[in-house]
Amino acid sequence: MSREISFLSLFLNIWCLGALLLVAIFVIQYIISLRRINRYSTCTSETIDLILNKVQSEYPRKIRAKAFICPETAVPMGIGLLRKKILLPYGKYSNKELYYMIKHEYTHFYNRDLVVKFLVVMFSCIFWWNPAVYMLLRDISQILEIKCDLTITQQLDNVKKNEYLKTILNLLKSQDKGPKLKVLGALGMMKGDKDKALVERFRVVLTPPKRVRKWTFSVIVTLYLIAFGLSYMAVIQPAYRPQNHELISDNGNVEPILEGYIVKEENGDYILYSNKKGPYKIEEETAKIFISLGMDFREDLVK
């Protein structure tokens, strides 16, 4: 019993320490990135502000956000849970390209995609030892990008869809030449494995599903979390063989030796006294189980 408790305690201690360490690293890196980005908050223009206002007017719910140029990123990026910021890469872009870049990141804010990404990152930090969370962390950005693409293009005609995709292609050409700022809690317009990811996004935009319901993404995430929770119904434990001194054989049957005794104190607490370790305070149900197995029970023992 003590061996199982020691293994469980060791696992819980390592789990908690690892989770706290990863959460601390993520929060510190996120704060440092925000401070770096804030240095460029004044790098904007009247054109950028006008385009942002135009994008905001196209949505039923207005979200406060600020758009500016950040030389440290090669792709448009949205960041910030409270103070939302749209980072635009440094370069020469037409008003149409700026419009689609800002609209893309603003749509992420509108869909609350950054909240989802932030929660997934925190989820992966807490359950860092489970390989399933890394699969979700790997795919969540692509899922959110496709969702954002469909939100933008579902009301566009073919000409404007091509303009939108052309903007992404132009960014792809300049991505390798520019700096790459990586923020785990942010969403960029393109992923690192750009070839396969972009082919998938272009295919979805050009041949979209007939109807995308608003709750589809929520159902997918909910099913994943249910599957993740069900995985804990099966627990892997080390095998344990009793030692010879833990067994007796009087009448031909092998029975466990229950060493020690249980005392019920005046306040109603049950105390387990073991010959090896203890005493331990145990629950009443646990005490009844031990007593039914033959352990000595001493009530109202005067110490």
Side-chain angles (χ1 to χ4, degrees), residues 11 23 53 79 97 102 107 110 130 140 144 155 163 198 203 212 216 221 242 248 280 285 296:
F11 171 74
V23 170
N53 291 333
I79 188 172
E97 289 173 329
I102 293 175
T107 303
Y110 190 83
N130 193 319
I140 189 63
L144 294 175
Q155 302 297 335
E163 292 175 352
L198 281 178
R203 183 174 64 249
V212 181
T216 302
V221 174
I248 58 175
Y280 302 102
E285 294 182 0
D296 187 18

Side-chain angles (χ1 to χ4, degrees), residues 67-185:
F68 54 88
I69 297 171
C70 179
E72 296 192 34
T73 179
V75 296
M77 184 180 297
I79 188 172
L81 295 177
L82 300 177
R83 299 179 180 179
K84 298 173 174 55
K85 302 174 181 65
I86 298 175
L87 313 182
L88 301 172
Y90 178 80
K92 294 182 179 180
Y93 301 102
S94 65
N95 290 352
K96 190 175 297 183
E97 289 173 329
L98 286 173
Y99 168 78
Y100 285 120
M101 286 190 283
I102 293 175
K103 187 177 181 67
H104 181 93
E105 301 307 326
Y106 187 86
T107 303
H108 277 310
F109 293 144
Y110 190 83
N111 290 339
R112 298 184 178 88
D113 293 339
L114 266 75
V115 176
V116 175
K117 178 69 177 291
F118 198 89
L119 291 176
V120 170
V121 173
M122 296 298 293
F123 191 73
S124 65
C125 290
I126 296 174
F127 296 95
W128 55 269
W129 48 269
N130 193 319
V133 301
Y134 295 99
M135 297 173 59
L136 179 61
L137 186 62
R138 181 193 63 190
D139 297 334
I140 189 63
S141 293
Q142 179 71 355
I143 294 172
L144 294 175
E145 291 302 327
I146 291 177
K147 177 188 174 186
C148 183
D149 291 336
L150 289 175
T151 303
I152 295 174
T153 59
Q154 63 182 352
Q155 302 297 335
L156 300 181
D157 55 28
N158 290 334
V159 174
K160 291 184 178 181
K161 282 184 181 180
N162 290 329
E163 292 175 352
Y164 176 76
L165 297 177
K166 186 178 179 181
T167 300
I168 297 178
L169 286 176
N170 290 338
L171 288 169
L172 176 63
K173 295 176 183 178
S174 61
Q175 181 180 10
D176 295 330
K177 301 177 184 178
K180 296 181 180 179
L181 174 67
K182 293 184 178 180
V183 183
L184 197 57

Side-chain angles (χ1 to χ4, degrees), residues 14-283:
I14 295 176
W15 179 4
C16 293
L17 288 175
L20 290 174
L21 180 62
L22 290 175
V23 170
I25 292 174
F26 166 66
V27 172
I28 292 172
Q29 289 181 342
Y30 190 79
I31 293 174
I32 292 174
S33 299
L34 286 177
R35 290 180 177 177
R36 288 176 56 187
I37 291 167
N38 287 334
R39 296 181 301 175
Y40 306 104
S41 59
T42 57
C43 299
T44 185
S45 65
E46 184 178 353
T47 302
I48 293 176
D49 292 337
L50 290 174
I51 294 175
L52 177 59
N53 291 333
K54 179 183 178 182
V55 171
Q56 289 174 325
S57 65
E58 295 173 351
Y59 289 80
R61 176 168 49 90
K62 183 177 180 180
I63 298 174
R64 293 183 61 182
K66 188 173 184 179
F68 54 88
I69 297 171
C70 179
E72 296 192 34
T73 179
V75 296
M77 184 180 297
I79 188 172
L81 295 177
L82 300 177
R83 299 179 180 179
K84 298 173 174 55
K85 302 174 181 65
I86 298 175
L87 313 182
L88 301 172
Y90 178 80
K92 294 182 179 180
Y93 301 102
S94 65
N95 290 352
K96 190 175 297 183
E97 289 173 329
L98 286 173
Y99 168 78
Y100 285 120
M101 286 190 283
I102 293 175
K103 187 177 181 67
H104 181 93
E105 301 307 326
Y106 187 86
T107 303
H108 277 310
F109 293 144
Y110 190 83
N111 290 339
R112 298 184 178 88
D113 293 339
L114 266 75
V115 176
V116 175
K117 178 69 177 291
F118 198 89
L119 291 176
V120 170
V121 173
M122 296 298 293
F123 191 73
S124 65
C125 290
I126 296 174
F127 296 95
W128 55 269
W129 48 269
N130 193 319
V133 301
Y134 295 99
M135 297 173 59
L136 179 61
L137 186 62
R138 181 193 63 190
D139 297 334
I140 189 63
S141 293
Q142 179 71 355
I143 294 172
L144 294 175
E145 291 302 327
I146 291 177
K147 177 188 174 186
C148 183
D149 291 336
L150 289 175
T151 303
I152 295 174
T153 59
Q154 63 182 352
Q155 302 297 335
L156 300 181
D157 55 28
N158 290 334
V159 174
K160 291 184 178 181
K161 282 184 181 180
N162 290 329
E163 292 175 352
Y164 176 76
L165 297 177
K166 186 178 179 181
T167 300
I168 297 178
L169 286 176
N170 290 338
L171 288 169
L172 176 63
K173 295 176 183 178
S174 61
Q175 181 180 10
D176 295 330
K177 301 177 184 178
K180 296 181 180 179
L181 174 67
K182 293 184 178 180
V183 183
L184 197 57
L187 279 173
M189 201 167 178
M190 287 182 292
K191 291 178 60 180
D193 51 343
K194 53 193 176 184
D195 294 336
K196 183 179 179 180
L198 281 178
V199 169
E200 183 179 13
R201 288 174 61 183
F202 277 41
R203 183 174 64 249
V204 172
V205 170
L206 294 175
T207 56
K210 293 182 179 180
R211 186 177 181 183
V212 181
R213 299 182 182 274
K214 295 181 179 180
W215 45 261
T216 302
F217 177 76
S218 301
V219 170
I220 294 174
V221 174
T222 302
L223 290 175
Y224 175 86
L225 293 177
I226 291 175
F228 184 83
L230 290 176
S231 67
Y232 285 89
M233 296 183 67
V235 180
I236 300 176
Q237 295 182 337
Y240 174 70
R241 293 182 62 85
Q243 303 297 322
N244 291 332
H245 69 276
E246 296 175 315
L247 303 175
I248 58 175
S249 180
D250 292 338
N251 54 0
N253 296 325
V254 179
E255 299 177 353
I257 296 177
L258 299 175
E259 300 177 344
Y261 55 91
I262 296 174
V263 175
K264 183 179 180 182
E265 297 186 339
E266 293 181 358
N267 59 3
D269 292 340
Y270 288 84
I271 307 299
L272 171 63
Y273 290 88
S274 173
N275 294 339
K276 296 181 179 180
K277 294 181 180 180
Y280 302 102
K281 181 180 178 181
I282 59 177
E283 299 292 334

